[in-house]
Amino acid sequence: MQKKIVIGNWKMNPLSLKEAEKLLIEISESFSLIKKTEIIICPPFIYLESLRRLLKAKNYKLKLNLGAQDSFWENIGAYTGEVSAEMLYNIGVKYVILGHSERRAMGENNIDINKKIKSALSSGLIPIICIGENVRDEKHEYLNFVKMQIEESLDKISRNNISKIIIAYEPVWAIGKGTLPATVEEFREMSIFIRKILSDKFGIDNVENIRIIYGGSVDEKNAEGFIKDGHADGFLPGRASLDSKKFSKIIKICEVLNK
Ligand code: 13P
């Protein structure tokens, strides 16, 4: 059984490095004892290096690492505006979110995500792969949609590497302001479905420890149910990760329920 993981996706927030540092300090200092739960913070690229230095200087006794919100599939070269997985690794980043629905909405597809996953893995980053349907239809077509996302984005990933990934199930209809989260049952069923697809493709032994986490309007009120009854391995909160009180409550819930 893997330890629970809570990954804060700050998206394009906050507006200044000063605010980013303040938020990271508030989060890190809001616990006295978190031993088992892994915490990952994914700020915008531009803050990563300074936040890494800050964490090093403060030397908090937490399993807190930094992640990026995207990375490109090539290592180096004429790719204006892109940042490679290797560059991120070289500044001390350990994780990267790939295939977030907000990037898919800008045109990224499963083939792009597959190339990004391969590059992240070969650079030594742990990919957090986001999957999830836009809508749920009565004929359950959304199951095929999620299956295709998994199969195409994980195409030709080696059996050795597959156990390193984290899957975040984030139904698009549950993300952001004015939406409702998935129910615990919806998550539990989907997580069984996802693990079955993974195990058919890579063999049960290689995928039984892959963490399948939930994202989409997660907060300090609904987190407990997702873990207790949904068997979630952790969370990928967006808005709640920008509020140190809410975010630390989610982490404390995971810590208490960690086996
Ligand atoms: P919210 O928690 O704000 O709904 O965002 C979820 C998300 O997209 C995290 O990646």
Side-chain angles (χ1 to χ4, degrees), residues 16 20 40 42 65 74 98 123-126 129-130 158 176 179 188 201 206 212 241 251 253 259:
S16 69
I40 315 295
C42 301
N65 280 301
E74 295 289 351
L98 293 174
S123 302
L125 295 185
I126 296 177
I129 303 159
C130 298
S158 72
T179 63
R188 193 180 51 218
K201 194 166 165 60
N206 298 309
I212 302 177
S241 71
I251 292 164
I253 289 166
K259 299 238 165 58

Side-chain angles (χ1 to χ4, degrees), residues 32-52:
S32 49
L33 207 65
I34 296 288
K35 280 200 156 161
K36 302 175 216 156
T37 309
E38 266 183 78
I39 307 162
I40 315 295
I41 305 283
C42 301
F45 285 134
I46 190 166
Y47 304 141
L48 278 167
E49 173 80 37
S50 307
L51 295 185
R52 189 194 60 79

Side-chain angles (χ1 to χ4, degrees), residues 7-9 11 97 100-102 130 170 174-177 179 215-219 236-241:
I7 304 166
N9 179 5
K11 306 192 180 184
I97 297 173
H100 192 281
S101 60
E102 287 151 14
C130 298
E170 292 208 307
I175 295 176
K177 231 180 186 164
T179 63
S217 302
V218 173
D219 62 23
L236 180 55
R239 282 158 297 157
S241 71

Side-chain angles (χ1 to χ4, degrees), residues 10 14 18-28 241-244:
W10 285 5
K18 216 170 169 186
E19 288 169 89
E21 288 179 338
K22 183 167 169 275
L23 180 57
L24 185 67
I25 292 173
E26 275 173 14
I27 291 169
S28 308
S241 71
L242 295 167
D243 178 323
S244 60

Side-chain angles (χ1 to χ4, degrees), residues 102-216:
E102 287 151 14
R103 298 212 56 82
R104 293 177 189 261
M106 288 184 238
E108 196 166 289
N109 61 33
N110 293 332
I111 316 277
D112 299 329
I113 295 159
N114 177 252
K115 289 192 277 184
K116 291 183 175 191
I117 295 171
K118 286 176 181 156
S119 151
L121 284 166
S122 68
S123 302
L125 295 185
I126 296 177
I128 301 147
I129 303 159
C130 298
I131 54 171
E133 73 283 2
N134 296 317
V135 284
R136 287 211 167 193
D137 58 307
E138 282 178 9
K139 291 188 173 157
H140 300 98
E141 269 307 308
Y142 66 92
L143 292 173
N144 289 332
F145 182 84
V146 169
K147 184 166 187 248
M148 183 143 72
Q149 283 186 324
I150 299 173
E151 289 184 339
E152 290 187 353
S153 61
L154 296 179
D155 188 41
K156 297 198 175 68
I157 304 289
S158 72
R159 285 182 175 230
N160 263 355
N161 270 334
I162 196 68
S163 58
K164 296 179 191 151
I165 68 164
I166 296 167
I167 298 272
Y169 172 61
E170 292 208 307
V172 180
W173 48 266
I175 295 176
K177 231 180 186 164
T179 63
L180 287 174
T183 64
V184 166
E185 294 71 32
E186 282 166 341
F187 171 74
R188 193 180 51 218
E189 282 167 18
M190 188 54 95
S191 132
I192 293 168
F193 179 67
I194 293 167
R195 205 177 297 279
K196 169 84 175 93
I197 298 165
L198 291 171
S199 109
D200 287 348
K201 194 166 165 60
F202 298 99
I204 183 71
D205 292 350
N206 298 309
V207 305
E208 62 189 352
N209 286 326
I210 291 182
R211 282 181 284 200
I212 302 177
I213 66 175
Y214 174 72

